[in-house]
Amino acid sequence: MSALTEWQTAPALLALAALIGYLLGSIPFGLLLTRMAGLGDVRKIGSGNIGATNVLRTGNKKLAAATLLLDALKGTAAVLVANALWGYEASLVAGFFAFLGHLFPVWLGFKGGKGVATYIGVLLGAAPLMMLAFALIWIATAFITRYSSLSALVAMVIIPVALWVLGPEKTALLVTLLSVISWLKHHENIRRLIAGTESRIGQKS
């Protein structure tokens, strides 16, 4: 049977896991941290994104690092809490909806980040070794190309393929969905990469 037809956890529990995951994922840490630091609304600078890359454009590296960490950990927390309460299948649902919560937070008119940090956090909870592999691929690609966005996009292709080979299948399905959605959210970066206008790591915009 395929990964789509083997789900056995009660639908009500999966729905609850989805709700908890979404609420955790929708916490806009980038916006909250920059406001608490007196830096205003991060959505009004740079790309308008609430993620760590745009927070870095405020010039505050510590806030950007904190945003990256918290955006990742909300994905990890969703997976681990659901797994502890309702098991493996619920943990995957919670991780998926935590990712969607970051991308489409209800509190911000469904306009959130691109999801790379939360993607990594979900990986940490669901497949820790693959999270390490993601980090290594990102570092290697960034070292060669100096493009942060390209590094993430490359890792988000390789990791799902590795999971389909190594298993488990349901985790591979989850990560594939996250990768497809994140690629779609990176459409502007992809256009700039093709045009040769994407900013490189360390390049001043």
Side-chain angles (χ1 to χ4, degrees), residues 52-68:
T53 300
N54 206 41
V55 172
L56 186 59
R57 294 189 176 103
T58 66
N60 193 316
K61 294 180 180 179
K62 290 182 180 179
L63 276 187
T67 300
L68 179 67

Side-chain angles (χ1 to χ4, degrees), residues 120 123-124 127-139 159:
I120 293 169
L123 267 183
L124 177 60
L129 290 178
M130 288 298 163
M131 188 279 291
L132 292 175
F134 185 104
L136 291 173
I137 294 164
W138 190 98
I139 291 169
I159 295 303

Side-chain angles (χ1 to χ4, degrees), residues 105-180:
V106 63
W107 330 110
L108 304 180
F110 302 102
K111 295 178 182 178
K114 295 179 182 176
V116 176
T118 308
Y119 180 113
I120 293 169
V122 171
L123 267 183
L124 177 60
L129 290 178
M130 288 298 163
M131 188 279 291
L132 292 175
F134 185 104
L136 291 173
I137 294 164
W138 190 98
I139 291 169
T141 307
F143 180 79
I144 294 168
T145 69
R146 310 302 297 172
Y147 287 120
S148 175
S149 57
L150 180 61
S151 302
L153 291 167
V154 169
M156 286 189 287
V157 170
I158 295 175
I159 295 303
V161 171
L163 275 167
W164 281 111
V165 172
L166 300 172
E169 191 177 68
K170 290 177 184 176
T171 303
L173 176 62
L174 166 68
V175 177
T176 300
L177 291 174
L178 300 189
S179 291
V180 169

Side-chain angles (χ1 to χ4, degrees), residues 18-33:
L19 177 62
I20 290 173
Y22 179 83
L23 291 176
L24 280 170
S26 68
I27 301 171
F29 284 115
L31 178 62
L32 295 175
L33 290 175

Side-chain angles (χ1 to χ4, degrees), residues 175-190:
V175 177
T176 300
L177 291 174
L178 300 189
S179 291
V180 169
I181 295 169
S182 194
W183 262 73
L184 292 173
K185 287 289 286 184
H186 279 82
H187 62 93
E188 292 180 0
N189 302 86
I190 294 169

